[in-house]
Amino acid sequence: MKRSVVLAGAALLALLSTPGYAADGLQISPKVTSVTIETDEGPVEITRQKNDMQLIGGVLQPMVPVAGVHPVGELEVLEALQDDGAAVVDMRTMEWRVKSTIPGSIHIPYTEVAMRLDELGCSGAQGAWDCAKAIKVFAFCNGPACAQSPMAIAAMVREGFPADKIYYYRGGMQDWQVLGLTTAEDMF
Protein backbone atom coordinates (compact mmCIF):
# COMPACT_ATOMS: atom_id res chain seq x y z
CA MET A 1 0.00 0.00 0.00
CA LYS A 2 2.86 2.40 0.78
CA ARG A 3 4.15 1.85 -2.76
CA SER A 4 0.78 2.82 -4.24
CA VAL A 5 0.79 6.02 -2.16
CA VAL A 6 4.24 6.87 -3.51
CA LEU A 7 3.21 6.07 -7.08
CA ALA A 8 0.04 8.11 -6.71
CA GLY A 9 2.11 10.94 -5.22
CA ALA A 10 4.57 10.79 -8.09
CA ALA A 11 1.71 10.80 -10.62
CA LEU A 12 0.13 13.76 -8.85
CA LEU A 13 3.40 15.68 -8.85
CA ALA A 14 3.86 14.95 -12.56
CA LEU A 15 0.34 16.13 -13.25
CA LEU A 16 0.83 19.29 -11.22
CA SER A 17 3.95 20.15 -13.16
CA THR A 18 2.05 19.87 -16.45
CA PRO A 19 1.38 23.28 -18.01
CA GLY A 20 -2.16 24.53 -17.30
CA TYR A 21 -2.67 22.70 -14.00
CA ALA A 22 -0.89 25.11 -11.66
CA ALA A 23 -3.55 27.78 -12.21
CA ASP A 24 -6.41 25.32 -11.67
CA GLY A 25 -5.82 24.60 -7.98
CA LEU A 26 -8.97 24.37 -5.88
CA GLN A 27 -9.41 24.61 -2.14
CA ILE A 28 -10.18 21.42 -0.23
CA SER A 29 -12.13 23.28 2.46
CA PRO A 30 -12.57 26.97 3.29
CA LYS A 31 -9.26 27.05 5.17
CA VAL A 32 -7.31 24.19 3.55
CA THR A 33 -5.60 24.17 0.16
CA SER A 34 -3.43 21.12 0.74
CA VAL A 35 -2.73 18.32 3.20
CA THR A 36 0.75 16.84 3.59
CA ILE A 37 1.01 13.25 4.74
CA GLU A 38 4.12 11.37 5.75
CA THR A 39 4.90 8.08 4.03
CA ASP A 40 7.90 5.77 4.37
CA GLU A 41 9.27 7.38 1.22
CA GLY A 42 8.79 10.95 2.46
CA PRO A 43 6.09 13.60 2.50
CA VAL A 44 3.31 13.72 -0.10
CA GLU A 45 1.21 16.85 -0.55
CA ILE A 46 -2.44 16.21 -1.41
CA THR A 47 -4.05 19.02 -3.38
CA ARG A 48 -7.21 19.45 -5.39
CA GLN A 49 -7.08 20.31 -9.07
CA LYS A 50 -9.78 21.24 -11.56
CA ASN A 51 -10.66 18.45 -13.99
CA ASP A 52 -13.30 17.67 -16.62
CA MET A 53 -15.45 15.59 -14.24
CA GLN A 54 -16.24 18.46 -11.85
CA LEU A 55 -19.37 20.52 -12.36
CA ILE A 56 -18.19 23.36 -10.11
CA GLY A 57 -15.22 24.52 -8.04
CA GLY A 58 -16.49 25.12 -4.50
CA VAL A 59 -15.08 23.46 -1.41
CA LEU A 60 -15.75 19.93 -0.20
CA GLN A 61 -18.86 19.60 1.96
CA PRO A 62 -19.14 17.34 5.01
CA MET A 63 -21.04 14.05 4.67
CA VAL A 64 -23.41 15.23 7.42
CA PRO A 65 -24.08 18.96 6.97
CA VAL A 66 -26.33 19.18 10.08
CA ALA A 67 -26.43 16.77 13.03
CA GLY A 68 -29.11 14.12 12.57
CA VAL A 69 -29.15 14.25 8.76
CA HIS A 70 -28.54 10.92 6.98
CA PRO A 71 -25.94 10.70 4.19
CA VAL A 72 -27.14 8.56 1.26
CA GLY A 73 -25.92 7.28 -2.08
CA GLU A 74 -27.45 6.51 -5.45
CA LEU A 75 -29.22 3.30 -4.40
CA GLU A 76 -31.09 5.10 -1.63
CA VAL A 77 -32.02 7.93 -4.03
CA LEU A 78 -33.40 5.36 -6.51
CA GLU A 79 -35.50 3.82 -3.71
CA ALA A 80 -36.74 7.28 -2.64
CA LEU A 81 -37.88 8.04 -6.20
CA GLN A 82 -40.30 5.10 -5.82
CA ASP A 83 -41.45 6.01 -2.28
CA ASP A 84 -44.70 7.99 -1.95
CA GLY A 85 -43.56 9.14 1.50
CA ALA A 86 -40.38 10.75 0.16
CA ALA A 87 -39.36 13.56 -2.17
CA VAL A 88 -36.06 13.79 -4.03
CA VAL A 89 -35.41 17.53 -4.10
CA ASP A 90 -33.13 19.34 -6.52
CA MET A 91 -32.02 22.33 -4.47
CA ARG A 92 -29.97 24.00 -7.20
CA THR A 93 -30.81 27.17 -9.07
CA MET A 94 -33.06 26.91 -12.13
CA GLU A 95 -30.05 27.46 -14.42
CA TRP A 96 -28.53 24.15 -13.24
CA ARG A 97 -31.80 22.19 -13.12
CA VAL A 98 -32.63 23.01 -16.74
CA LYS A 99 -29.25 21.64 -17.87
CA SER A 100 -29.75 18.26 -16.23
CA THR A 101 -31.48 16.75 -13.20
CA ILE A 102 -32.50 13.46 -11.64
CA PRO A 103 -35.72 12.22 -13.28
CA GLY A 104 -38.65 12.34 -10.85
CA SER A 105 -37.04 14.96 -8.62
CA ILE A 106 -38.89 18.12 -7.65
CA HIS A 107 -37.31 21.56 -7.70
CA ILE A 108 -37.09 23.76 -4.63
CA PRO A 109 -34.08 26.10 -4.91
CA TYR A 110 -31.94 26.42 -1.80
CA THR A 111 -32.87 30.11 -1.57
CA GLU A 112 -36.60 29.26 -1.36
CA VAL A 113 -36.82 26.12 0.76
CA ALA A 114 -37.45 27.92 4.08
CA MET A 115 -40.55 29.51 2.49
CA ARG A 116 -41.81 26.32 0.79
CA LEU A 117 -41.79 23.69 3.53
CA ASP A 118 -45.52 23.20 2.92
CA GLU A 119 -44.49 21.28 -0.21
CA LEU A 120 -42.63 18.86 2.06
CA GLY A 121 -45.46 18.06 4.49
CA CYS A 122 -45.22 21.00 6.90
CA SER A 123 -48.04 23.42 7.67
CA GLY A 124 -47.88 27.07 8.65
CA ALA A 125 -45.53 29.68 7.27
CA GLN A 126 -41.90 30.74 7.43
CA GLY A 127 -40.89 31.28 11.03
CA ALA A 128 -43.82 29.24 12.35
CA TRP A 129 -43.76 25.84 10.59
CA ASP A 130 -45.35 22.72 12.07
CA CYS A 131 -43.45 19.81 10.56
CA ALA A 132 -45.00 16.96 12.53
CA LYS A 133 -46.24 15.42 9.24
CA ALA A 134 -43.09 16.13 7.22
CA ILE A 135 -42.12 13.64 4.54
CA LYS A 136 -38.62 12.27 3.99
CA VAL A 137 -36.54 14.66 1.90
CA PHE A 138 -33.61 13.49 -0.22
CA ALA A 139 -31.69 16.69 -0.93
CA PHE A 140 -29.06 17.14 -3.65
CA CYS A 141 -27.22 19.79 -5.61
CA ASN A 142 -24.15 19.71 -7.90
CA GLY A 143 -21.94 17.35 -5.91
CA PRO A 144 -19.40 17.07 -3.12
CA ALA A 145 -18.17 20.65 -3.55
CA CYS A 146 -21.61 22.29 -3.85
CA ALA A 147 -22.91 24.19 -0.83
CA GLN A 148 -26.47 24.77 -2.08
CA SER A 149 -28.17 21.74 -0.51
CA PRO A 150 -26.16 21.97 2.76
CA MET A 151 -27.32 25.60 3.08
CA ALA A 152 -30.90 24.54 2.33
CA ILE A 153 -30.71 21.71 4.86
CA ALA A 154 -29.50 24.12 7.55
CA ALA A 155 -32.39 26.49 6.72
CA MET A 156 -34.91 23.62 6.87
CA VAL A 157 -33.72 22.51 10.31
CA ARG A 158 -33.63 26.12 11.54
CA GLU A 159 -37.29 26.43 10.44
CA GLY A 160 -38.29 23.29 12.39
CA PHE A 161 -37.99 20.53 9.79
CA PRO A 162 -36.82 17.35 11.58
CA ALA A 163 -33.17 16.62 10.73
CA ASP A 164 -33.83 12.88 10.94
CA LYS A 165 -36.21 13.16 7.97
CA ILE A 166 -33.52 14.70 5.76
CA TYR A 167 -31.29 12.52 3.59
CA TYR A 168 -28.31 14.24 1.98
CA TYR A 169 -27.10 12.95 -1.38
CA ARG A 170 -23.69 14.66 -1.28
CA GLY A 171 -22.63 13.13 -4.60
CA GLY A 172 -25.41 15.05 -6.34
CA MET A 173 -25.48 15.58 -10.09
CA GLN A 174 -21.72 15.18 -10.42
CA ASP A 175 -21.71 11.60 -9.14
CA TRP A 176 -25.05 10.80 -10.82
CA GLN A 177 -23.61 11.75 -14.21
CA VAL A 178 -20.19 10.17 -13.66
CA LEU A 179 -21.97 6.89 -12.88
CA GLY A 180 -23.91 7.12 -16.14
CA LEU A 181 -27.36 7.26 -14.55
CA THR A 182 -30.24 8.63 -16.63
CA THR A 183 -30.83 12.38 -16.46
CA ALA A 184 -33.69 14.66 -17.50
CA GLU A 185 -33.05 17.91 -19.32
CA ASP A 186 -35.12 21.08 -19.76
CA MET A 187 -37.03 20.48 -16.52
CA PHE A 188 -38.61 23.55 -14.92
Side-chain angles (χ1 to χ4, degrees):
M1 180 160 172
K2 296 285 186 184
R3 181 170 168 78
S4 64
V5 170
V6 171
L7 293 175
L12 179 61
L13 290 175
L15 180 66
L16 294 176
S17 65
T18 304
Y21 280 91
D24 291 337
L26 299 171
Q27 287 184 269
I28 293 171
S29 71
K31 297 179 182 177
V32 177
T33 56
S34 69
V35 174
T36 301
I37 61 166
E38 291 296 328
T39 69
D40 290 344
E41 290 76 21
V44 175
E45 182 181 25
I46 298 172
T47 61
R48 187 165 165 247
Q49 300 297 312
K50 181 75 175 133
N51 65 50
D52 293 339
M53 301 307 291
Q54 298 160 339
L55 293 179
I56 61 170
V59 297
L60 300 179
Q61 300 299 308
M63 290 300 287
V64 178
V66 174
V69 171
H70 311 278
V72 295
E74 295 75 23
L75 296 177
E76 293 83 6
V77 172
L78 289 167
E79 288 176 16
L81 287 166
Q82 301 170 69
D83 181 349
D84 291 336
V88 176
V89 183
D90 185 341
M91 297 188 157
R92 302 172 302 157
T93 61
M94 181 61 76
E95 169 193 1
W96 283 105
R97 180 168 172 84
V98 170
K99 289 180 183 179
S100 181
T101 193
I102 295 173
S105 66
I106 64 170
H107 185 228
I108 304 178
Y110 75 104
T111 56
E112 299 176 16
V113 73
M115 299 174 286
R116 295 175 57 184
L117 292 180
D118 57 324
E119 296 174 45
L120 304 173
C122 300
S123 59
Q126 188 172 1
W129 290 108
D130 175 0
C131 295
K133 295 182 181 177
I135 62 173
K136 295 181 285 185
V137 170
F138 288 71
F140 74 93
C141 54
N142 277 319
C146 182
Q148 291 177 6
S149 52
M151 286 190 290
I153 289 167
M156 290 171 69
V157 172
R158 182 187 68 238
E159 289 291 325
F161 199 95
D164 67 345
K165 288 196 171 193
I166 301 173
Y167 299 78
Y168 175 41
Y169 176 37
R170 180 177 174 261
M173 286 309 297
Q174 179 174 307
D175 285 4
W176 193 267
Q177 291 173 321
V178 166
L179 292 169
L181 293 163
T182 302
T183 61
E185 289 75 32
D186 299 320
M187 300 296 294
F188 294 95

